[in-house]
Amino acid sequence: MTQRQNEIINAAIQLIAEKGIQGLTIKNLSKAIKVTEPAIYRHFESKTSILVAILENFKNFTATISSEILSRDESALDKIFMIYRAYYNKFTETPSLVSVIFSDEIFKNDKNLSKKIASLLSANEEMFCSIIKEGQKAKEIRNDIDNKQIALIIMGAMRLLVKKWETSAYAFDLKKEGKKLFNAIKAIIQK
Amino acid sequence: MTQRQNEIINAAIQLIAEKGIQGLTIKNLSKAIKVTEPAIYRHFESKTSILVAILENFKNFTATISSEILSRDESALDKIFMIYRAYYNKFTETPSLVSVIFSDEIFKNDKNLSKKIASLLSANEEMFCSIIKEGQKAKEIRNDIDNKQIALIIMGAMRLLVKKWETSAYAFDLKKEGKKLFNAIKAIIQK
DNA sequence: TTTTGGTTAGTGATTATTAACTAACTTAGT
DNA sequence: ACTAAGTTAGTTAATAATCACTAACCAAAA
């Protein structure tokens, strides 16, 4: 990834966040980084490959944090909190990323892309499920509810909080509200 | 709403579900209902007004069920379940609606539209919050967690379940899984 | 001297939308 | 009952604008 490629990717994310996928045109993109339209093609072979790069970028992020957190010797609830925090930090750093990652709409046009985002979501789900299962075995998390249901609740709440943060135009402190939410979830699921 | 207008709206929802907002073109739409492109304009003055009609349609649905359910003399948990069920029924009836309603991406291009969908979400949130508050007063729902956090958890889980149902190409029984989820949430939030 | 990263000018395809026209049906006046 | 006028819902043909993308050229850096 060259500097210019990163610049293009960031501008693309920004554009999607502002105007939706229909706002991501080569014209808008080139205007944003102050070059002419054909200059974009010196750095990406097509518009789709820009979207692929964005997705690949985020995939790297999730792979890194999940492998790092899973390997640690912490309690299940602590692991969940660490994942929460990692996401909130990332989104606080790059708010416009939310619009891209939490919207499969964007990738619906291209089958290749929609598969990619679906696998991202399911990988995340599996991670949460396995952490919860462990927590249940260790009698840290309540056992009367299926781990899949708990994972659904945890992921769903986080996603909605982030989505609300986005629609509020990032008006509140995501990290702070995220911590509040985690405490509520902790109270609810721990044994 | 004439019959033709309804036909157009349904075709539009279908198209969005299949190919995303970028698949919703007047050409595709006219092909779907087997008329020429200009014929569409005999029934809607613009493409945007079709989206407005879809949103208005769903707004009517939510307004109807919420006024109906809120007026009943039921426990808070029962009310929540009835809301859940009403949504699941609606989505089971018109699966493609999910892609439209749960995707603000689609309406991001137009400020008027994005405001509409945001107000839909916040109206829903307020409804859940007030029901939960009542349930807390009646000592039916646990009091140690803020009603806003509980609303976030309830709505978030439902949204994610529906979203998963969509990405699975409606592969499982939404009503059945919805009931399972409700039972889990019930166990978690009741006093 | 070759490579890198830009430019100008243009491609064909597609976009939403409009103009002009028409057949079929409805309504009102005689 | 019959005709005239108007409405409805479609058509063909065309509009300007925009889309992603390309060819050919150029200057500066390696």
Side-chain angles (χ1 to χ4, degrees):
Chain A
M1 271 299 150
T2 65
Q3 202 176 331
R4 208 39 150 184
Q5 280 177 318
N6 267 315
E7 206 180 335
I8 290 171
I9 284 177
N10 287 333
I13 293 172
Q14 194 81 28
L15 274 171
I16 291 172
E18 276 167 26
K19 311 222 177 198
I21 188 64
Q22 294 173 101
L24 180 67
T25 64
I26 301 296
K27 194 175 187 176
N28 288 346
L29 202 48
S30 62
K31 212 186 292 173
I33 64 163
K34 293 192 174 73
V35 293
T36 57
E37 297 174 47
I40 302 290
Y41 291 90
R42 295 283 173 207
H43 306 279
F44 287 99
E45 65 171 358
S46 70
K47 187 181 158 180
T48 300
S49 67
I50 296 172
L51 287 171
V52 170
I54 292 174
L55 231 44
E56 219 62 48
N57 228 15
F58 191 74
K59 200 178 170 182
N60 274 350
F61 164 75
T62 52
T64 306
I65 65 143
S66 64
S67 81
E68 197 199 313
I69 289 172
L70 284 177
S71 67
R72 287 211 204 167
D73 189 29
E74 306 264 5
S75 71
L77 282 168
D78 282 339
K79 276 183 188 169
I80 290 171
F81 180 62
M82 285 163 80
I83 294 169
Y84 262 67
R85 209 178 36 195
Y87 275 94
Y88 295 146
N89 283 342
K90 180 78 171 178
F91 289 139
T92 301
E93 192 186 290
T94 319
S96 42
L97 195 62
V98 175
S99 315
V100 183
I101 295 307
F102 281 1
S103 169
D104 26 48
E105 176 60 40
I106 290 171
F107 307 101
K108 222 168 207 169
N109 239 19
D110 192 292
K111 262 211 170 151
N112 198 10
L113 290 177
S114 57
K115 266 187 187 170
K116 269 203 164 101
I117 198 127
S119 82
L120 239 156
L121 184 66
S122 72
N124 223 256
E125 194 192 347
E126 272 174 46
M127 179 182 61
F128 269 111
C129 275
S130 69
I131 291 175
I132 290 160
K133 228 176 191 168
E134 272 181 50
Q136 286 177 323
K137 255 187 201 164
K139 312 228 166 180
E140 196 195 337
I141 293 176
R142 59 193 293 167
N143 228 316
D144 58 332
I145 296 168
D146 193 52
N147 66 79
K148 281 184 186 174
Q149 304 294 334
I150 294 178
L152 196 69
I153 289 167
I154 289 178
M155 289 174 73
M158 187 182 89
R159 281 174 72 100
L160 185 54
L161 176 66
V162 173
K163 204 83 197 161
K164 276 182 66 183
W165 181 61
E166 187 209 353
T167 46
S168 81
Y170 323 116
F172 57 85
D173 185 338
L174 180 63
K175 293 182 196 176
K176 215 165 143 188
E177 290 298 317
K179 181 138 197 178
K180 270 192 212 169
L181 173 63
F182 175 75
N183 284 333
I185 284 181
K186 189 179 172 186
I188 266 173
I189 65 167
Q190 79 184 343
K191 213 164 186 171
Chain B
M1 272 295 152
T2 66
Q3 203 178 330
R4 208 38 150 186
Q5 280 178 316
N6 266 315
E7 208 180 333
I8 291 171
I9 284 177
N10 287 334
I13 292 171
Q14 195 80 29
L15 274 171
I16 291 171
E18 275 166 27
K19 311 221 176 197
I21 188 65
Q22 292 172 102
L24 180 67
T25 64
I26 301 296
K27 194 174 187 176
N28 288 347
L29 203 46
S30 62
K31 213 185 292 172
I33 63 165
K34 293 190 173 71
V35 294
T36 56
E37 297 174 48
I40 302 289
Y41 291 91
R42 294 284 171 208
H43 306 279
F44 288 99
E45 65 171 357
S46 70
K47 186 181 159 181
T48 301
S49 69
I50 297 173
L51 288 170
V52 170
I54 293 174
L55 233 43
E56 218 62 46
N57 229 14
F58 191 74
K59 201 179 169 181
N60 274 350
F61 163 76
T62 52
T64 305
I65 65 143
S66 64
S67 80
E68 198 200 312
I69 289 172
L70 284 178
S71 66
R72 287 212 205 167
D73 191 28
E74 307 264 7
S75 72
L77 282 168
D78 282 339
K79 277 183 186 169
I80 289 171
F81 179 61
M82 287 163 77
I83 294 170
Y84 263 64
R85 209 178 36 193
Y87 274 96
Y88 295 145
N89 284 341
K90 180 77 173 178
F91 289 139
T92 301
E93 192 185 292
T94 319
S96 42
L97 196 62
V98 175
S99 316
V100 183
I101 294 308
F102 282 1
S103 168
D104 27 46
E105 174 60 39
I106 290 170
F107 307 101
K108 224 167 206 170
N109 239 17
D110 192 292
K111 263 213 170 151
N112 198 11
L113 290 177
S114 56
K115 267 187 187 169
K116 270 203 163 100
I117 199 129
S119 84
L120 240 156
L121 183 67
S122 72
N124 223 259
E125 194 193 348
E126 272 174 45
M127 179 181 62
F128 270 112
C129 276
S130 70
I131 292 175
I132 290 159
K133 229 178 191 169
E134 270 180 52
Q136 287 176 323
K137 255 188 201 162
K139 311 225 167 183
E140 196 193 338
I141 293 176
R142 59 194 292 168
N143 227 316
D144 58 332
I145 295 166
D146 193 51
N147 65 80
K148 282 185 185 175
Q149 305 294 333
I150 295 178
L152 197 68
I153 289 167
I154 289 177
M155 292 174 70
M158 186 182 89
R159 283 174 70 100
L160 184 54
L161 176 65
V162 173
K163 203 81 197 160
K164 275 182 68 182
W165 181 62
E166 187 209 353
T167 46
S168 82
Y170 322 117
F172 57 84
D173 186 337
L174 180 62
K175 292 181 196 176
K176 214 165 143 186
E177 289 299 316
K179 182 137 196 177
K180 269 193 213 167
L181 173 63
F182 174 75
N183 283 333
I185 284 181
K186 190 179 171 184
I188 266 172
I189 66 167
Q190 80 183 344
K191 212 161 187 173

